[in-house]
Amino acid sequence: MTAVHTDRTGARTDEAADVIAGARERIDALDDRIIGLIQERMAVSAVIQEARISSGGRRVNLAREMDVLAHYRDALGKPGTSLAMTMLELCRGRI
């Protein structure tokens, strides 16, 4: 076993280190996709906010945000609510 495997993965065998390294590559790719989707969501949210404001409405629709929070909570449990709150914060007020 090499020190790099131990230092970088915490694995105790080369085989486990290889599995971990491969899985981490997949996680990195998934993270890139998630970030891209959040950026896309931010852009769509800006379109909605602009339309709402230009029609005389408020920038934020709290009832809709509650629906989003419930959706994430139902799908992911309590941590889903925190994740949704962060995402909503990212999507608010970009216009």
Side-chain angles (χ1 to χ4, degrees), residues 27-45 72 87 90-91:
I27 285 174
D28 290 344
L30 289 166
D31 285 343
D32 288 341
R33 287 174 49 200
I34 291 166
I35 290 166
L37 288 169
I38 290 171
Q39 289 170 330
E40 183 178 348
R41 191 189 194 287
M42 290 167 66
V44 172
S45 182
Y72 275 71
M87 183 194 56
L90 284 168
C91 292

Side-chain angles (χ1 to χ4, degrees), residues 42-68:
M42 290 167 66
V44 172
S45 182
V47 169
I48 292 169
Q49 290 173 50
E50 186 175 317
R52 191 180 299 120
I53 291 168
S54 68
S55 72
R58 297 177 138 189
R59 179 176 53 87
V60 175
N61 181 331
L62 294 178
R64 171 63 180 154
E65 288 196 356
M66 294 306 292
D67 291 342
V68 171

